[in-house]
């Protein structure tokens, strides 16, 4: 802070009130650091500053680095106290689950065909769960480097496929000429449905390339997802 100013209203929690209030500290200046002023001397100077400053001496007992340490330690203690019961219950639940699993393996017989069938079924079920999570994006491991799984497939449908459609060459003049010839070549007094179908089918065929390309991209991503699940 500049000389001649004070933060009394802030530290008294009047200006911008916080639920836990504020704790003011005095950091070492660059001059103190260059002069190799140690932490102990800096804390003594900090204490003297708050006790002697007219704006802060009435709250000096709630200011300074030692008080900040005390407040933070108390917050940590409260947090541990509040979260420990749930954490303990979760651990106990996991322990019971593991004990049940251990109990099942006590009479394990590798040559028992029913055991092998059960193991295979469990693996398939776990694979299905892992695959579904990767497609939904709800797995435990999140890729922070690139899109994968359902996110990449979603991008193919909503970005890559429309991009491929936009790239298609479309000549409106040529299309109008084709429609005109189709109508003339099909007999009848009125514009027949056959002319419409002939033109539309020809246009739909043009969508086959981009569609198959998008399908190939989706298949490749599904294959990559399967490979990741098998690991």
């Amino acid at each position: 802070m500049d000389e001649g100013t004070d933060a009394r209203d802030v530290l008294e929690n009047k200006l911008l009130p916080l639920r836990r209030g504020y704790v003011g500290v005095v950091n070492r200046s660059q001059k103190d650091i260059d002069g190799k002023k140690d932490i102990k001397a800096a804390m003594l100077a900090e204490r003297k500053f708050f006790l002697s400053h007219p704006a802060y001496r009435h709250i000096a007992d709630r200011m300074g680095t030692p008080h900040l340490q005390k407040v933070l330690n108390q917050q940590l203690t409260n947090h541990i106290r509040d979260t420990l019961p749930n954490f303990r219950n979760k651990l106990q639940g996991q322990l019971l689950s593991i004990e049940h699993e251990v109990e099942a393996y006590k009479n394990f017989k590798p040559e028992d065909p029913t055991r092998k069938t059960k193991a295979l079924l469990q693996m398939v079920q776990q694979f299905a769960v892992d695959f579904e999570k990767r497609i939904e994006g709800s797995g435990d491991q999140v890729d922070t480097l690139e899109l994968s799984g359902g996110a990449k497939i979603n991008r193919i449908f909503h970005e890559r496929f429309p991009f491929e459609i936009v790239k298609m060459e479309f000549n409106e003049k040529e299309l109008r000429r084709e429609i005109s010839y189709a109508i003339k070549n099909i007999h009848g007094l009125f514009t027949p449905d056959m002319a419409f179908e002939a033109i539309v089918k020809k246009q739909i065929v043009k969508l086959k390339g981009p569609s198959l390309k998008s399908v190939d991209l989706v298949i490749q991503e599904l294959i990559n997802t399967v490979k990741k699940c098998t690991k």
Side-chain angles (χ1 to χ4, degrees), residues 182 186 192-204:
I186 296 177
D193 293 341
M194 290 177 65
F196 174 76
E197 289 180 7
I199 295 298
V200 170
K201 286 179 179 178
K202 188 172 181 180
Q203 296 302 313
I204 290 175

Side-chain angles (χ1 to χ4, degrees), residues 167-183:
K167 285 197 323 183
M168 289 172 53
E169 293 184 1
F170 177 76
N171 189 325
E172 184 177 352
K173 186 177 180 181
E174 179 68 19
L175 178 61
R176 288 182 180 276
R177 188 179 65 82
E178 290 180 4
I179 293 173
S180 176
Y181 279 126
I183 293 173

Side-chain angles (χ1 to χ4, degrees), residues 50-78:
F50 284 117
L51 287 172
S52 60
H53 198 292
Y56 308 133
R57 56 191 176 200
H58 68 292
I59 54 173
D61 60 323
R62 292 184 280 119
M63 296 292 113
T65 304
H67 182 72
L68 179 60
Q69 290 175 329
K70 181 180 178 182
V71 169
L72 293 176
N73 281 329
Q74 186 60 52
Q75 292 298 327
L76 179 60
T77 302
N78 293 342

Side-chain angles (χ1 to χ4, degrees), residues 77-91:
T77 302
N78 293 342
H79 178 70
I80 293 173
R81 183 191 62 208
D82 294 339
T83 58
L84 192 58
N86 289 335
F87 184 62
R88 184 189 295 113
N89 291 338
K90 184 178 179 180
L91 283 179

Side-chain angles (χ1 to χ4, degrees), residues 102-143:
V102 170
E103 192 68 28
Y105 280 106
K106 281 185 177 179
N107 300 316
F108 178 74
K109 295 179 180 179
E111 68 279 1
D112 186 354
T114 59
R115 175 66 64 180
K116 293 181 180 180
T117 302
K118 183 179 179 182
L120 179 60
L121 181 61
Q122 288 176 338
M123 290 175 65
V124 172
Q125 290 174 336
Q126 185 60 50
F127 175 84
V129 170
D130 291 343
F131 184 82
E132 184 177 356
K133 284 184 176 180
R134 286 185 179 274
I135 294 298
E136 291 181 347
S138 59
D140 298 331
Q141 296 181 350
V142 178
D143 193 336

